[in-house]
Amino acid sequence: MFPSFKVKVTGLNPKTKYILLMDVVPADDHRYKFADNKWSVTGKAEPAMPGRLYVHPDSPATGAHWMRQLVSFQKLKLTNNHLDPFGHIILNSMHKYQPRIHIVKADENNGFGSKNTAFCTHVFPETAFIAVTSYQNHKLSLR
């Protein structure tokens, strides 16, 4: 994902282990186009692909680890390939998406998933974006 998503984490118990995850969900039910220097709605969105979660590669780690510096999701990969076998987040081009961060308290086996697992989800509206497969800007010279 470009630019990569980075977040400052605070308020965790320094000694407790946590798992950080990210998913990307549809922000609305529209399809977009870019014309006349602006984005506009062109119709109804295509059905969303089943959601995938990206587990941060440092997971699980202590709260102290997560709070030490910015947490970067630079290794998260996006694709428009609906048959992707690599676990990348699948998006439809020209659709608007919202990244979400999930902080999950790891259980005694450094996992998650029990019905009593403590977690929280954070959404930053300023990170919503429209997925594209290429940039078309005559002012850019890519060599």
Side-chain angles (χ1 to χ4, degrees):
M1 179 161 54
F2 175 80
S4 61
F5 192 97
K6 295 178 184 174
V7 64
K8 179 165 179 55
V9 177
T10 61
L12 301 180
N13 180 324
K15 294 182 180 179
T16 300
K17 286 190 174 180
Y18 299 90
I19 299 164
L20 265 65
L21 307 104
M22 178 182 272
D23 66 357
V24 181
V25 296
D28 60 29
D29 61 353
H30 303 296
R31 181 178 177 84
Y32 291 83
K33 73 174 180 176
F34 190 78
D36 299 326
N37 247 4
K38 66 180 191 286
W39 288 102
S40 58
V41 173
T42 61
K44 188 142 179 65
E46 297 172 43
M49 293 303 294
R52 290 183 173 178
L53 286 169
Y54 172 80
V55 179
H56 192 282
D58 290 355
S59 296
T62 63
H65 171 84
W66 296 120
M67 295 186 293
R68 188 173 302 129
Q69 59 192 17
L70 286 176
V71 177
S72 174
F73 285 83
Q74 69 186 26
K75 293 183 180 179
L76 182 147
K77 303 285 187 213
L78 306 176
T79 184
N80 65 347
N81 178 3
H82 290 203
L83 302 175
D84 174 70
F86 302 109
H88 299 155
I89 303 286
I90 302 171
L91 305 179
N92 290 317
S93 189
M94 309 308 274
H95 290 63
K96 187 182 275 190
Y97 290 95
Q98 177 65 63
R100 301 186 305 182
I101 297 291
H102 309 279
I103 302 174
V104 180
K105 185 177 174 184
D107 66 19
E108 59 276 356
N109 299 316
N110 287 332
F112 61 93
S114 77
K115 63 181 178 182
N116 297 322
T117 300
F119 73 94
C120 63
T121 298
H122 297 278
V123 174
F124 303 95
E126 64 273 20
T127 64
F129 65 93
I130 295 175
V132 297
T133 53
S134 66
Y135 295 104
Q136 297 175 5
N137 185 337
H138 68 279
K139 295 178 185 175
L140 291 178
S141 174
L142 302 175
R143 297 174 205 226

